[in-house]
Amino acid sequence: MELLSIMSSTSGKLPAEKERELIRKARAYTNPAYGCPPEKRPIREYIEKGVVNIDKPKGPTSHEVAAWVKEILEVNRAGHSGSLDPKVSGLLPTLLGKATKGVPALRLSGKEYVCLLRLHRPVPAKEIRRVCKEFSGPIYQMPPIKSAVKRALRVRTIYYIELLEIEGMYVLFRVGCEAGTYIRKLCHDIGMALGCGGHMQELRRTKAGPFTEETLVTLQDVKDAYVFWQEDGDESELRRVVRPMESALSHLPKILLRDGAVDAVCSGASLAVPGIVSLDSDLKKGELTGLFTLKGEIIALAKAKMSTEEIMGASTGIAATPIRVMLDVGTYPKGWISKEEGKVVADKEMEADPEMNTEG
């Protein structure tokens, strides 16, 4: 049968690919004597606070791949962004060492797959297109019998589904979906809706949160880069295959803190409005957000207590509470915490001497 290509003219986007804009609330400076831009960390610290966007091959489990990365790079911990079945290939972003604290934020981000569906009998292309459109948006799913979660009906969102090719009983499509969507079950349900049955023939993950195939590296790439550094002292390839952990959290709405507020948050204090320099233009109350230094270092994952509009219009109050702290206490000098509500207040003396600081 003649190959029918129906590739979409515009590819869909995951929520993590949303374009974000920072707006300034206050002027501040960051002292170069404290902290470090993520890409300039000493190489051992760079690895311990890094992420590798592994191209998982077919065969091994996701756990095995993460364990191999951990062994190659000689780190104590490694955690991946969400399991892929042994027969599935594609993106497996793996966070290293201290960066593993960011795994939940990455694991809950959207994913994209390219899937080959095999129908159990031929169906007109027009009918396939019609039925696939019905699977966009919220859908009900019952996890398969062989799954790591409790079998209970749940809702998952399909952000987009794009038919790429149809040939006989084979349908190639791209799908962007919420974390926890079972593509094998999606194939089964599409087959049922078409009245012919169907199953997943092949699957590859092509996006995971902010990661795409453009930054993929193989296990061999990781091994070679580490050997180059160990034997020749050449860090360049290792800095290419390992990326700063902040790249795994780039999809989160951001709040940038002044230097004087950083250490208090590292100690678990809530972030008050006076500690904020810039923030995402579309931050929503209750949303998971990333607290960053003016040098771009992730301080903590936090829950927003105010929206952007509320923060911009306030001079006091708690703006966010840390959920998981990722920067070590003492990286920045201590600021002052008021006795009421643990409010973080800027260190005015540090700001007042621009000769000791660089603008952030």
Side-chain angles (χ1 to χ4, degrees):
M1 178 174 285
E2 182 181 357
L3 181 68
L4 175 61
S5 177
I6 43 179
M7 185 175 294
S8 173
S9 58
T10 57
S11 178
K13 288 189 175 183
L14 299 176
E17 297 177 284
K18 174 184 177 181
E19 294 184 4
R20 295 189 175 276
E21 178 186 0
L22 283 176
I23 56 176
R24 175 180 286 186
K25 179 171 174 62
R27 185 176 177 83
Y29 296 86
T30 180
N31 192 328
Y34 304 101
C36 177
E39 66 279 2
K40 293 183 179 180
R41 289 172 180 140
I43 190 62
R44 192 69 247 181
E45 182 185 358
Y46 184 86
I47 296 171
E48 290 285 345
K49 295 180 178 180
V51 56
V52 184
N53 189 18
I54 288 289
D55 189 350
K56 178 195 169 298
K58 295 179 183 179
T61 65
S62 297
H63 178 74
E64 286 174 326
V65 172
W68 292 335
V69 172
K70 172 184 169 183
E71 181 180 350
I72 291 170
L73 296 176
E74 298 182 303
V75 294
N76 294 326
R77 291 173 292 173
H80 58 74
S81 64
S83 296
L84 292 175
D85 290 346
K87 293 181 180 180
V88 178
S89 66
L91 273 72
L92 188 72
T94 303
L95 290 97
L96 313 169
K98 294 180 179 180
T100 54
K101 290 184 178 182
V103 165
L106 184 58
R107 185 166 287 173
L108 293 175
S109 62
K111 310 292 192 295
E112 181 190 87
Y113 300 87
V114 172
C115 177
L116 182 62
L117 160 65
R118 187 184 187 281
L119 302 177
H120 295 168
R121 64 173 173 79
V123 176
K126 183 178 180 180
E127 181 66 6
I128 295 173
R129 287 195 293 269
R130 183 190 67 78
V131 168
C132 284
K133 284 181 181 179
E134 295 178 356
F135 282 84
S136 292
I139 63 169
Y140 287 101
Q141 273 204 332
M142 175 73 75
I145 295 176
K146 292 183 179 180
S147 65
V149 298
K150 181 180 178 181
R151 294 198 74 219
L153 193 65
R154 57 186 187 174
V155 177
R156 286 296 180 266
T157 300
I158 302 297
Y159 303 120
Y160 55 87
I161 183 166
E162 303 168 358
L163 293 177
L164 302 178
E165 295 179 352
I166 299 174
E167 183 176 13
M169 294 184 291
Y170 291 94
V171 180
L172 184 68
F173 67 91
R174 179 188 293 117
V175 58
C177 56
E178 183 180 355
T181 303
Y182 284 91
I183 307 302
R184 191 181 303 276
K185 186 66 169 61
L186 177 64
C187 289
H188 173 269
D189 292 347
I190 290 174
M192 292 294 289
L194 286 168
C196 63
H199 64 271
M200 187 183 82
Q201 184 77 19
E202 194 169 349
L203 186 67
R204 178 173 176 80
R205 185 152 68 191
T206 50
K207 290 181 183 178
F211 291 99
T212 68
E213 291 184 301
E214 293 180 2
T215 56
L216 277 178
V217 295
T218 65
L219 287 165
Q220 188 62 54
D221 291 333
V222 178
K223 179 65 176 179
D224 288 346
Y226 197 71
V227 169
F228 290 154
W229 172 54
Q230 290 277 287
E231 297 185 356
D232 304 328
D234 183 359
E235 301 177 1
S236 59
E237 189 63 11
L238 193 52
R239 288 185 182 273
R240 183 187 72 83
V241 301
V242 179
R243 304 170 66 83
M245 62 181 175
E246 285 78 5
S247 64
L249 306 171
S250 62
H251 60 294
L252 297 177
K254 296 176 176 60
I255 300 178
L256 273 57
L257 280 61
R258 59 179 80 243
D259 285 7
V262 174
D263 193 69
V265 173
C266 290
S267 300
S270 294
L271 171 66
V273 172
I276 297 174
V277 176
S278 302
L279 68 156
D280 191 280
S281 61
D282 191 31
L283 180 66
K284 296 177 176 60
K285 187 175 180 178
E287 191 172 20
L288 180 66
T289 182
L291 307 184
F292 290 81
T293 69
L294 293 176
K295 296 182 182 73
E297 305 148 289
I298 179 70
I299 303 166
L301 301 178
K303 184 177 182 179
K305 293 296 185 179
M306 294 182 178
S307 66
T308 296
E309 292 75 15
E310 290 172 324
I311 292 173
M312 292 301 293
S315 57
T316 61
I318 299 299
T321 54
I323 297 172
R324 188 162 293 193
V325 176
M326 301 182 70
L327 190 67
D328 293 336
V329 173
T331 304
Y332 281 76
K334 291 185 180 298
W336 174 64
I337 309 176
S338 69
K339 293 181 180 179
E340 338 141 316
E341 303 179 317
K343 292 179 181 177
V344 180
V345 181
D347 185 340
K348 299 297 182 182
E349 293 182 358
M350 181 175 294
E351 287 185 5
D353 187 2
E355 291 184 0
M356 294 293 293
N357 300 275
T358 57
E359 186 173 359

